[in-house]
Amino acid sequence: MAVSVLLFGIARDLIGQSSLNVPARQDMQVTDLLQEIHQQYPAVKGIRSLLVAVNGEYAESDQVIKETDEVALIPPVSGG
């Protein structure tokens, strides 16, 4: 099982692609997904306030992710 993750902004720049597949296990939570991504791409750890959206809604760290969910990493946005 793998979860497809969409990447935006600095997350996309650091990883070097607009999406990635993350190996997943049953009952994987958002916090588990982030740990897996941090292990594969340590530079992503440096992003402050990185949010995760699941199926278009911001997700809490304990939300369970299913293989069919649409997951996105959303870094902070700056500007005026």
Side-chain angles (χ1 to χ4, degrees):
M1 178 173 134
V3 174
S4 179
V5 180
L6 302 174
L7 306 169
F8 297 96
I10 190 71
R12 179 184 60 220
D13 294 345
L14 291 172
I15 292 175
Q17 53 196 36
S18 60
S19 67
L20 58 92
N21 288 321
V22 177
R25 64 177 192 283
Q26 192 170 8
D27 299 326
M28 180 180 210
Q29 296 180 347
V30 167
T31 192
D32 301 322
L33 174 74
L34 288 174
Q35 287 177 352
E36 183 69 30
I37 291 171
H38 290 161
Q39 285 181 344
Q40 291 183 26
Y41 304 96
V44 176
K45 271 184 167 178
I47 303 173
R48 295 174 130 190
S49 303
L50 183 64
L51 298 174
V52 177
V54 177
N55 298 325
E57 302 279 336
Y58 289 117
E60 298 293 329
S61 61
D62 62 349
Q63 182 170 337
V64 174
I65 299 171
K66 294 176 273 186
E67 187 176 15
T68 55
D69 287 339
E70 179 184 84
V71 179
L73 294 188
I74 304 171
V77 177
S78 63

